[in-house]
Amino acid sequence: MVQAMINIPAEANQIFNIVKAKYNLKTKSEAIARVALEYGAKMLEPEVKPSYLKKFDSLSAEKGIPFKNMKELRKLIEEYKPQRGK
């Protein structure tokens, strides 16, 4: 565990006291750690771009090609291959 002496504004102190009471924590250090971990998780999670969400929605709406076994799948793949040299 790391120890640090920090100076925080009165507002931040009140927030930590509220967090401490809300989550029934024993020390203000636990409250600071909780706030830091929750904020860090939100801040460090990558945001999904709206363009990716649109692409994902369109892909998830597509239907797959049904096949019964690997032999049938191979036949479908061979049929879709572009013809070379013709």
Side-chain angles (χ1 to χ4, degrees):
M1 182 175 292
V2 177
Q3 292 184 352
M5 286 188 63
I6 60 171
N7 294 320
I8 57 173
E11 255 183 66
N13 188 48
Q14 288 175 344
I15 291 169
F16 292 130
N17 283 331
I18 292 168
V19 169
K20 181 181 164 196
K22 181 176 180 180
Y23 294 104
N24 198 25
L25 303 171
K26 293 179 182 176
T27 65
K28 196 175 290 183
S29 293
E30 291 175 340
I32 292 170
R34 181 167 184 123
V35 169
L37 291 173
E38 284 187 25
Y39 181 77
K42 289 179 185 176
M43 187 176 82
L44 298 177
E45 274 187 24
E47 257 185 61
V48 179
K49 294 180 182 178
S51 60
Y52 178 78
L53 290 175
K54 287 179 185 176
K55 184 176 180 180
F56 179 77
D57 287 341
S58 67
L59 289 175
S60 63
E62 288 183 11
K63 301 274 184 195
I65 300 171
F67 59 93
K68 295 178 186 172
N69 53 39
M70 293 301 290
K71 188 175 181 181
E72 189 176 331
L73 175 61
R74 177 151 316 275
K75 183 180 175 186
L76 289 170
I77 292 170
E78 293 296 326
E79 288 174 2
Y80 284 113
K81 277 188 180 177
Q83 299 297 322
R84 293 184 183 164
K86 289 187 178 181

